[in-house]
């Protein structure tokens, strides 16, 4: 089952990395680009983590769950910032804080993985 999710983790890593670069480019133009820069930073920070979790997927028991929680949290956080930047308001109430909590939870799941024996 988990083996079938590995391609999705790699795709999400690439998606976040590409999004981060595009958001950084967009943030270099215009007047108030603070939200775009923050969204870019979160995407670019988490894309390589997902790649690492993809690589470690077979050996780290919490890799898949960590990757998905981090990806969803990052997309929710960045998506809310983008929605606010383009004047549409929040995606929904508390979307960015929920995304931030998701990212924190993903990192904690990764940390918990240190206490499980490696799988072969």
């Amino acid at each position: 089952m988990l083996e079938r999710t590995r391609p999705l983790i790699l795709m999400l890593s690439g998606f976040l990395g590409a999004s981060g670069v595009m958001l950084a480019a967009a943030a270099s133009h215009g007047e108030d680009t603070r939200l775009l820069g923050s969204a870019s930073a979160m995407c670019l920070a988490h894309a390589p983590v997902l790649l690492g979790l993809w690589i470690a997927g077979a050996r780290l028991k919490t890799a898949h769950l960590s990757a998905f929680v981090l990806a969803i949290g990052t997309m929710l956080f960045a998506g809310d910032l983008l929605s606010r930047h383009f004047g549409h308001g929040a995606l929904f109430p508390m979307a960015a804080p929920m995304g931030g909590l998701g990212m924190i939870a993903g990192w904690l799941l990764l940390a918990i993985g240190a206490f499980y024996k490696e799988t072969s």
Side-chain angles (χ1 to χ4, degrees), residues 68-118:
F68 287 118
V69 172
L70 280 166
I72 291 166
T74 304
M75 290 186 291
L76 186 57
F77 183 85
D80 188 65
L81 295 182
L82 286 171
S83 184
R84 290 170 189 264
H85 173 79
F86 289 110
H88 304 295
L91 286 175
F92 56 85
M94 301 296 290
M98 286 177 60
L101 287 173
M103 290 184 284
I104 293 166
W107 282 103
L108 291 174
L109 284 166
L110 176 58
I112 288 168
F115 296 100
Y116 287 97
K117 288 188 177 187
E118 282 187 17

